[in-house]
């Protein structure tokens, strides 16, 4: 993880590697320390080089967002699309912001369709 001033008042944090339970505390600390800087107006978290982000990593990002919001500091997470796309394929959930016409979940060949209600019974 590296910290780069973009311009006065804006800091970019470039995160690399897996962010999971074992490493999420380091990410949280880096974000919170960056938010302590004087005259900070915005922080940008770049996760383009993060191949794995688990729930602990997401919690670290949310903690940073909450702290930034409480201090009136802008907060952006950039280059996250690859994680959403991969996870949406793994979990069979359509990608956020996708065209509903093309974002339909697919089923594997051995999975049966799920019904939201029982089949209707037609009297004889």
């Amino acid at each position: 993880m590296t910290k780069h001033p973009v311009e006065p008042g804006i800091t970019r944090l470039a995160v690399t590697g897996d962010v999971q339970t074992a490493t999420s505390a380091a990410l949280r600390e880096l974000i919170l320390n960056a938010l302590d800087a004087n005259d900070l107006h915005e922080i940008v978290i770049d996760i383009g080089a993060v191949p794995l982000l688990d729930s602990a990593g997401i919690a670290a990002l949310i903690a940073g967002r909450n702290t930034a919001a409480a201090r009136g500091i802008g907060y952006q997470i950039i280059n996250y699309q690859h994680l959403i796309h991969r996870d949406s394929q793994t979990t069979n959930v359509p990608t956020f912001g996708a065209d509903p016409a093309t974002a339909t979940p697919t089923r594997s060949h051995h999975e049966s369709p799920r019904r939201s209600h029982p089949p209707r019974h037609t009297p004889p």
Side-chain angles (χ1 to χ4, degrees), residues 7 32 35 39 46-47 75-76 90 98 105 113-115 117 119:
E7 59 185 62
L32 297 180
L35 289 169
D39 299 324
D46 184 345
I47 60 172
Y75 188 88
Q76 283 189 65
T90 302
R114 295 189 179 117
R115 297 180 185 256
H117 53 80

Side-chain angles (χ1 to χ4, degrees), residues 35-105:
L35 289 169
D36 286 338
N38 291 331
D39 299 324
L40 185 66
H41 305 290
E42 183 175 3
I43 189 165
V44 178
I45 315 294
D46 184 345
I47 60 172
V50 173
L52 174 69
L53 180 70
D54 75 1
S55 60
I58 293 169
L61 293 172
I62 291 170
R65 184 206 57 192
N66 292 343
T67 301
R71 296 179 185 179
I73 298 171
Y75 188 88
Q76 283 189 65
I77 299 172
I78 62 170
N79 297 324
Y80 56 85
Q81 294 82 358
H82 66 287
L83 294 170
I84 292 174
H85 179 71
R86 185 205 64 214
D87 289 344
S88 71
Q89 288 183 329
T90 302
T91 60
N92 224 9
V93 175
T95 304
F96 294 108
D99 178 359
T102 60
T104 54

